[in-house]
Amino acid sequence: MPRGAIATVIVGLIATLGVIALDIRGGSGSAVEIEWDTVEAVKTPEPVKLGSSGSLGLARTSIAAITPITSGQLLFRIAGIVRIDSGKGSLPTGARCDITSPAADSRIALTPGLRAAWPRPSLELQEQEVPEASVAMFKARGADALFLPIRDVFQRFTDSAAPTDVDWDGFEEQTQNWVWTLPEGSGDGAATLGYAVIFRTVEKPRATIRCSGSVGGDEKVVEVKAVQQEWPLETPATEEPGDPEDEAATVTE
């Protein structure tokens, strides 16, 4: 089995076992599946030219959120796809996206032991499956963890058959990044690369999306501001006590 596939399977097992542990510790109802209370499209610019005949662009970009618990905390997601086309030939191609939530209190939410960000690092991105739902450690709706939609944005992390790996470059509490490497180019046409990250905050959801692409020696950057338009969101009547990080492992990578 390819190393990337093995790594993906291991990560999936860790997440699944973490959720099972939640159920054992917290009893029934410690994990619940819900929908995002609001999903808004984020306007993105036209693709930019990259190299002699390639391009870089963003699409299907959205900001989604759940209503705050009465303490004011909420979760929100930034998700979308990067389209990078290396053009004719098979020049080494790369892409990078940094998603930053600038509010002082914002930080990336957690899954059991990992950041709530997808895709995970992988040597063979094609082998990594999009989960049925994204899980975030957050005390709400009578549960310790929430299962939230992710396949509403993309069904695959890449639609390209060209060799592709993805990595996370370091750790910052307020910024999630992905670095994609396509050593033989994007293949036949553009490669579509999906991403999603969940933040927790007490402020109006907002983030900066900064993506760069390179083909050969040419590099271009596209930047977008994502701001929740419907605000304030209605707050539930019942208080949800406690902090989800009291029972979640601290992420340091």
Side-chain angles (χ1 to χ4, degrees):
M1 184 180 290
R3 286 179 297 167
I6 293 171
T8 301
V9 170
I10 291 172
V11 167
L13 286 173
I14 290 171
T16 301
L17 290 172
V19 173
I20 292 172
L22 274 175
D23 287 335
I24 293 171
R25 183 176 64 244
S28 61
S30 61
V32 64
E33 184 175 353
I34 67 170
E35 298 290 323
W36 293 104
D37 292 319
T38 174
V39 181
E40 298 177 354
V42 176
K43 187 176 180 181
T44 54
E46 292 295 317
V48 296
K49 184 178 177 181
L50 187 60
S52 60
S53 56
S55 63
L56 170 71
L58 304 179
R60 291 186 229 158
T61 310
S62 64
I63 183 169
I66 63 169
T67 54
I69 58 176
T70 52
S71 63
Q73 296 184 77
L74 62 87
L75 296 178
F76 75 94
R77 181 195 70 184
I78 301 293
I81 61 172
V82 183
R83 285 200 180 109
I84 187 164
D85 189 345
S86 58
K88 297 178 182 178
S90 54
L91 289 172
T93 299
R96 175 180 177 130
C97 281
D98 292 77
I99 316 293
T100 301
S101 178
D105 72 292
S106 293
R107 54 187 181 271
I108 300 168
L110 303 181
T111 65
L114 292 169
R115 291 176 246 169
W118 297 267
R120 311 299 201 185
S122 177
L123 295 175
E124 296 183 12
L125 186 57
Q126 289 87 349
E127 300 293 332
Q128 186 175 162
E129 294 187 3
V130 178
E132 293 288 342
S134 53
V135 58
M137 304 284 287
F138 191 76
K139 287 184 180 292
R141 320 288 168 101
D144 296 306
L146 302 179
F147 290 97
L148 294 152
I150 187 173
R151 292 190 174 185
D152 56 323
V153 183
F154 42 76
Q155 300 293 314
R156 294 177 291 175
F157 287 122
T158 180
D159 64 353
S160 173
T164 307
D165 68 69
V166 63
D167 203 358
W168 295 348
D169 182 16
F171 171 70
E172 295 181 37
E173 284 194 337
Q174 293 175 258
T175 299
Q176 174 61 38
N177 65 66
W178 297 269
V179 180
W180 293 273
T181 304
L182 298 84
E184 299 176 13
S186 61
D188 186 13
T192 297
L193 309 169
Y195 65 85
V197 58
I198 299 174
F199 292 95
R200 52 176 295 192
T201 187
V202 297
E203 298 190 18
K204 181 178 181 178
R206 57 194 174 100
T208 300
I209 305 168
R210 187 182 190 276
C211 296
S212 62
S214 63
V215 172
D218 190 26
E219 182 174 345
K220 292 293 192 318
V221 175
V222 177
E223 189 168 305
V224 174
K225 302 288 187 183
V227 181
Q228 176 72 29
Q229 298 302 308
E230 180 187 353
W231 189 261
L233 298 173
E234 184 181 350
T235 304
T238 0
E239 177 63 66
E240 306 287 354
D243 187 316
E245 290 192 346
D246 291 343
E247 302 181 16
T250 301
V251 174
T252 58
E253 63 174 6

